[in-house]
Every structure is written in structure tokens, then in C-alpha cells.
Amino acid sequence: MNLMCPARILLLPGDVVDHEVGERIAQVYAGPFEAAAGTRLAHRLGVRLTVVPELVRRPHDELQAIADLHRGETVVVLGVDLGLRLPAVVEHTGDGWTRVPTDNEVTLASYEQAAEKFRDSIPTEPNALLIDLLAGAVGAGAGVLELGSGTGRDALELERRGFVVRRTDAAQAFVEMMRADGYDADRLNALADDFGGPYDAVLADAVFVHFGRAELIQVLRKAARAAPVLAFTAREGKGEEWSDRHLDLPRHFVLWQEEPLRELLTATGWAVERLERGETRIGPWFHVQARRT
């Protein structure tokens, strides 16, 4: 433990049944009304639970006491209201509690700042391999929710093939770009928002690369509630990386091996029907078509 580093406190809502924690947790703390949920979470994480009655009346003081005990560590706290949208990671900076941007939020901010530069840097052709996989699983006329439509290049090809597409993106800059091109588009953050539907299929091209394992679990579960068919891409490799390639701004990428990816899909209610590899100028990608089990 590094005593010079502040504690990272992951604030979760009281109902954490579906929440996956993607980092090493030292301990779980909970207010009295969240004790049952805290017990389940602590058991799942294999750590100790401490119930803190004063978290309700004196959240700032109690959080500071917890932070002082866990410098250099990450702990989970349930049932604290700091006026933040949960889940949230907070650190104490000396002037109060500050929300720490997630890797995904940093990446999203880069897309917001450099949407036009991104459009100029990527190939203009759609991802034909991924769309072929989708077309082999659902018929023409099917309704498709596209996550992370970006510039809209794949949506155009989907519509050319007879699909009905709902264009969405978490970056408002891309939403405005597609609207300026004359298409309906909605802002939808796959991590934070409901997908709506039902749809016949969900498509996500070069989107899941920005989600950590715990985040991707949540997205895959939401996709399974929204549609029976899923088509997506993932970068093949090991570990994670930050890159400022193309945009000169930081973006976070998560790489996958085939077996862990298949295992994650199975655990979230999907059966892989097709998995193809494709090469790009930045390396190999998986192109996956799965069906809800």
C-alpha cells in the first residue's frame, strides 16, 4: 500500500445486484440500509464488510475517515449521497471530494473534441465483414440499434441493404455530425442509458474496445434485454493501452483473447454463432455475431 497516494472510493447505489467491480477492492463499507447489499457484494469480492451507521448523517466526515484508513487502495462505499450520478469514483483533494473521470469518460471527451479529425482519419468504407455477419443472422427490414454510430458510415450500408437503423452515439459531436448530414440520430451512452427497443439486432463497430471488462458486462446484459442478435468488433491482443493515434488526444483501448471473450459472452447470455478475424492497419480484430440464449 502506498501511504502517499489518496484512497480511491467507488460509490455505488444501494442496489448493486448487477454491478461488476473491475478493480481490486480492499474493503466494502455500507450504511445501515445497504447492509444486505453490502454483505452480498463483499462476499462476491472476497473482502470484509463494515457497516457505518453515521454514513447517512455525516457522509463527508465518514468518507474522510475511510479514506485515511485506505490510502493507496480502492474501497467500495454503498449508500452515500454526494449529489453525483452513481457509480462514481471520488478522491479527496483537500478542497472536498472530486469525481475522478473514468477511462471511458476520458476517451469520450477526446471524441467530443476531435470528431471531425476522426472522420478524416478513418476509412470511408463501411465494415462489410461485420455487416455480412449481421445480415446472415437477421433478414432485410429488421430493426437495428447501432451503438457508437460515429460518422454514420456503417448505418448507410445497413440501410442500403434494407435494414431500419437507429443511429446513436455517446458523443454529442457525432450526433450533430449525423444530423447535419440529414439523418436522425440520438445521443445514447451505452454505459449509462437504457437501450429502449425491442430491436431485432444490436450492432457495435469499434465501440466495445473502449469498455473495461466490468463495463462490457453491463453493456452485454443490456444488449441481451434489447435484442436477440448482437454483432460487434473487438481488438485482438492482451491487456489495455492508451493511444493518441490519429486524434492527438488520449483514448483507452481494451484488447481481448478469443477464449476470455467467448466466456464473457456466455456469462452474459449470448452464444457465439460466428467469429471471424479481420486485419486493419492497427492490427487484428474479432468480428463476432452472437445470439441471445
Side-chain angles (χ1 to χ4, degrees):
M1 180 174 69
N2 186 346
L3 296 178
M4 299 301 293
C5 295
R8 283 168 52 87
I9 297 181
L10 173 57
L11 301 180
L12 294 179
D15 182 6
V16 293
V17 174
D18 288 334
H19 191 88
E20 296 288 338
V21 178
E23 53 190 303
R24 188 172 183 274
I25 302 299
Q27 192 169 337
V28 174
Y29 291 86
F33 299 109
E34 287 74 29
T39 298
R40 292 191 298 270
L41 180 61
H43 178 74
R44 178 151 58 87
L45 296 174
V47 298
R48 190 176 73 169
L49 166 71
T50 299
V51 177
V52 184
E54 293 300 302
L55 270 175
V56 176
R57 293 198 308 110
R58 302 187 309 160
H60 292 272
D61 291 342
E62 295 302 323
L63 282 181
Q64 185 60 66
I66 292 169
D68 289 340
L69 286 173
H70 293 280
R71 292 187 181 276
E73 297 178 325
T74 300
V75 297
V76 170
V77 178
L78 307 183
V80 171
D81 183 9
L82 296 182
L84 300 174
R85 184 174 183 175
L86 303 182
V89 174
V90 296
E91 291 180 354
H92 198 278
T93 61
D95 297 322
W97 293 98
T98 301
R99 188 178 187 278
V100 180
T102 66
D103 294 341
N104 184 265
E105 288 168 342
V106 172
T107 300
L108 183 58
S110 294
Y111 282 120
E112 291 283 14
Q113 295 178 59
E116 290 292 343
K117 189 171 185 177
F118 179 77
R119 174 155 63 176
D120 293 339
S121 70
I122 64 170
T124 58
E125 300 81 12
N127 190 332
L129 175 54
L130 183 64
I131 296 172
D132 286 344
L133 292 179
L134 180 70
V138 294
V144 178
L145 168 66
E146 185 182 20
L147 301 175
S149 297
T151 63
R153 62 174 191 176
D154 287 338
L156 287 172
E157 177 63 15
L158 287 165
E159 289 172 339
R160 189 189 70 79
R161 298 194 191 194
F163 296 104
V164 179
V165 183
R166 181 188 176 196
R167 292 167 168 83
T168 73
D169 205 282
Q172 186 64 31
F174 284 131
V175 173
E176 296 300 333
M177 179 184 293
M178 289 183 283
R179 289 174 178 173
D181 290 339
Y183 301 99
D184 291 333
D186 299 317
R187 189 172 190 181
L188 189 152
N189 186 312
L191 296 176
D193 299 330
D194 183 76
F195 289 1
Y199 310 94
D200 297 302
V202 173
L203 182 136
D205 185 9
V207 177
F208 292 175
V209 292
H210 299 309
F211 298 150
R213 177 183 170 85
E215 293 172 328
L216 186 53
I217 286 173
Q218 306 304 314
V219 172
L220 290 172
R221 286 175 174 166
K222 288 201 284 187
R225 293 193 289 268
V229 172
L230 172 67
F232 70 94
T233 55
R235 277 186 61 189
E236 184 176 7
K238 294 182 179 180
E240 305 177 13
E241 67 180 30
W242 284 93
S243 173
D244 61 1
R245 180 177 51 247
H246 302 317
L247 302 188
D248 296 324
L249 291 168
R251 289 183 293 161
H252 185 248
F253 293 88
V254 178
L255 285 63
W256 286 90
Q257 296 287 289
E258 180 176 345
E259 284 310 308
L261 183 60
R262 286 181 177 272
E263 290 170 3
L264 188 66
L265 286 161
T266 299
T268 52
W270 295 100
V272 175
E273 294 188 327
R274 298 279 304 278
L275 186 149
E276 306 285 347
R277 284 179 168 84
E279 286 288 337
T280 70
R281 57 189 177 185
I282 62 171
W285 289 69
F286 295 118
H287 294 68
V288 182
Q289 180 262 309
R291 190 172 297 274
R292 184 173 60 200
T293 56

